């Protein structure tokens, strides 16, 4: 617990000033976090990011992450993000031939989906910050409330297992408690900030996001259980890896955009 607290304080001291500042430093931070997340995911399948196929996958991720506000730079080269993404997919497929199938079609599929999974979530991390600081903090506090509520309510009253094959300690009672705590955060943000939604709409959106945040956490648990690892990485002592900390956000940030909350 002590290690978790120390890591959390240090990470917040480094992370929060960049979040407040926004702009290019925030974009660069997001690129770093996403790159580490991709490294963690590829490592689970014993695919090295420090290889030709790893570099191609990393560049594919960077294309996905490329923020909308800088799109004019790419347009000057007469290529769209979609065209660049297709090029990297074709290069990965071609690499299976070059390696005489040591890098397989299955590896290509895993690499592409990994880049998309990590890239889309972190892309909307950039877009959410660009929409306004309030939406970043709404997302963070809502997820923290969901996680904390699920943990403490589940520990106190949990009896019905939620999904024991994937995460044995999670309970239905804890899951409901997490949603309730997230709704409390929604009420506070509706009263204390200028978030662009009335209370009823924000409560409905928050309930959906809290549920999908828990699904994102279960997806990451499923990855780790499938590949037989405890944590996705060890860059955050006491917390695990980047994917362990951002698993819920990777699911809810795209949904924030779909709900047109800003």
């Amino acid at each position: 617990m002590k290690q978790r607290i120390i890591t959390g304080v240090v990470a917040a001291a480094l992370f929060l000033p960049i979040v407040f500042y926004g702009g290019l430093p925030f974009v660069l931070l997001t690129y770093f976090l996403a790159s580490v997340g991709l490294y963690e995911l590829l490592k689970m399948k014993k695919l090295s990011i420090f290889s030709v196929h790893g570099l191609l996958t990393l560049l594919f991720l960077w294309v996905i992450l490329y923020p909308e506000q800088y799109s004019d730079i790419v347009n000057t080269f007469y290529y769209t993000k979609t065209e660049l993404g297709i090029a990297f997919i074709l290069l990965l497929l071609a690499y299976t031939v070059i390696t005489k199938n040591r890098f397989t079609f299955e590896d290509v599929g895993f690499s592409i989906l990994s880049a998309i999974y990590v890239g889309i979530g972190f892309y909307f991390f950039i877009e959410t910050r660009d929409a306004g600081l309030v939406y970043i903090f709404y997302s963070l506090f809502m997820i923290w409330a969901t996680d904390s509520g699920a943990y403490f309510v589940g520990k106190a009253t949990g009896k019905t297992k939620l999904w024991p094959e994937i995460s044995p300690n999670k309970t239905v009672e804890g899951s409901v408690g997490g949603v309730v705590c997230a709704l409390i955060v929604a009420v506070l943000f509706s009263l204390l900030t200028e978030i662009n939604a009335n209370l009823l709409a924000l409560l409905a959106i928050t309930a959906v996001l809290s549920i999908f945040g828990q699904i994102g956490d279960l997806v990451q648990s499923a990855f780790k259980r499938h590949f037989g690892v405890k944590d996705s990485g060890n860059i955050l002592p006491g917390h695990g890896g980047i994917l362990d900390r951002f698993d819920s956000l990777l699911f809810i940030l795209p949904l924030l955009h779909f709900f047109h909350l800003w």
Side-chain angles (χ1 to χ4, degrees), residues 146 150 154 162 171-180 210-211 214:
T146 298
L162 179 64
T171 63
V172 173
E173 294 83 359
S175 179
V176 173
V179 174
V180 171
S210 180
I211 292 169
Q214 294 182 61

Side-chain angles (χ1 to χ4, degrees), residues 4-127:
R4 287 176 64 89
I5 293 173
I6 293 173
T7 300
V9 170
V10 172
L14 296 172
F15 181 70
L16 288 178
I18 300 176
V19 173
F20 275 104
Y21 187 82
L24 184 59
F26 184 80
V27 171
L28 294 176
L29 173 65
T30 303
Y31 264 74
F32 170 74
L33 294 173
S35 299
V36 175
L38 179 65
Y39 163 79
E40 293 172 350
L41 202 50
L42 293 180
K43 187 179 178 182
M44 289 186 200
K45 193 168 168 48
K46 296 181 171 56
L47 293 173
S48 174
I49 203 170
F50 305 106
S51 61
V52 173
H53 56 80
L55 179 60
L56 290 172
T57 307
L58 182 63
L59 291 174
F60 180 40
L61 169 72
W62 289 356
V63 168
I64 296 172
L65 288 172
Y66 197 78
E68 190 67 30
Q69 58 264 40
Y70 299 118
S71 60
D72 289 345
I73 299 175
V74 173
N75 292 340
T76 59
F77 296 99
Y78 305 103
Y79 290 108
T80 66
K81 286 178 65 172
T82 301
E83 290 169 338
L84 291 173
I86 291 172
F88 283 113
I89 291 172
L90 294 176
L91 287 171
L92 283 167
L93 288 168
Y95 193 64
T96 63
V97 177
I98 295 172
T99 62
K100 298 179 180 178
N101 223 28
R102 290 191 300 275
F103 180 70
T104 67
F105 186 80
E106 179 185 347
D107 295 331
V108 173
F110 184 87
S111 300
I112 292 171
L113 188 56
S114 295
I116 292 173
Y117 164 60
V118 175
I120 288 176
F122 278 109
Y123 168 79
F124 282 106
F125 195 40
I126 297 172
E127 293 299 304

Side-chain angles (χ1 to χ4, degrees), residues 114-158:
S114 295
I116 292 173
Y117 164 60
V118 175
I120 288 176
F122 278 109
Y123 168 79
F124 282 106
F125 195 40
I126 297 172
E127 293 299 304
T128 303
R129 175 61 187 89
D130 190 54
L133 199 57
V134 65
Y135 299 105
I136 285 288
F137 282 107
Y138 162 72
S139 304
L140 292 173
F141 279 105
M142 189 267 295
I143 286 300
W144 291 338
T146 298
D147 290 346
S148 299
Y151 175 78
F152 288 110
V153 173
K155 190 173 183 180
T157 65

